[in-house]
Amino acid sequence: MVPYWPDIAKSQSETKADKEFAQAFVSKKLVVFSRSLDSVEGKNTRIVRTDLRDEILKLKQEPGKDILVGGVDVPSQLMELGLIDEYRFVVMPIIAGEGRRLMEGVSLREKRRLKLVESKIFKSGCVALRYLKQ
């Protein structure tokens, strides 16, 4: 994500949608959970090495809007800890036979029921789905 989106935010030759996303990206506070990184780029980015649960609970108490989480490991851990209030999935019109999968290896004590509250189809064929916990 860094330095790609910050570079796009400075560019004059990208699409309007890319520039808008890049501007939104660079305006946010970013938290990177890592045990191995020594440093991060970006003035709004910090590394967290403490307990994931404690840090997320602390972030939830801060003023502001949503906490967005990407990747595979952190969302899977948050799912197991029961700390996700809302799920947003983007389905891409690509079939890949390899790679890490979301929720692979997640162990839940009980089923989580979700309610679809929003869906959006993009020109690209991608579908965005938004679910709330029931």
Side-chain angles (χ1 to χ4, degrees), residues 27-124:
S27 71
K28 303 297 179 201
K29 291 190 318 186
L30 303 176
V31 177
V32 176
F33 291 93
S34 176
R35 293 182 189 105
S36 59
L37 285 177
D38 292 324
S39 63
V40 290
E41 293 180 38
K43 61 182 181 207
N44 292 338
T45 305
R46 66 183 174 94
I47 298 175
V48 172
R49 300 183 198 288
T50 58
D51 183 71
L52 175 66
R53 182 183 182 281
D54 293 344
E55 184 65 26
I56 293 297
L57 290 173
K58 188 170 87 175
L59 288 170
K60 283 185 167 199
Q61 298 305 311
E62 290 182 10
K65 295 197 176 207
D66 302 329
I67 300 170
L68 302 175
V69 180
V72 175
D73 290 334
V74 171
S76 295
Q77 292 173 55
L78 293 175
M79 202 175 303
E80 288 179 341
L81 292 167
L83 293 175
I84 298 177
D85 302 317
E86 180 176 307
Y87 293 82
R88 294 183 185 202
F89 302 104
V90 178
V91 180
M92 308 281 223
I94 299 169
I95 297 176
E98 295 182 27
R100 299 178 66 201
R101 288 168 170 64
L102 183 63
M103 295 183 258
E104 188 173 309
V106 172
S107 178
L108 300 177
R109 286 182 263 153
E110 57 189 37
K111 269 191 238 180
R112 302 257 165 82
R113 298 215 179 265
L114 304 176
K115 179 181 179 181
L116 180 66
V117 294
E118 186 179 355
S119 65
K120 183 175 182 179
I121 300 171
F122 296 91
K123 291 178 191 175
S124 64

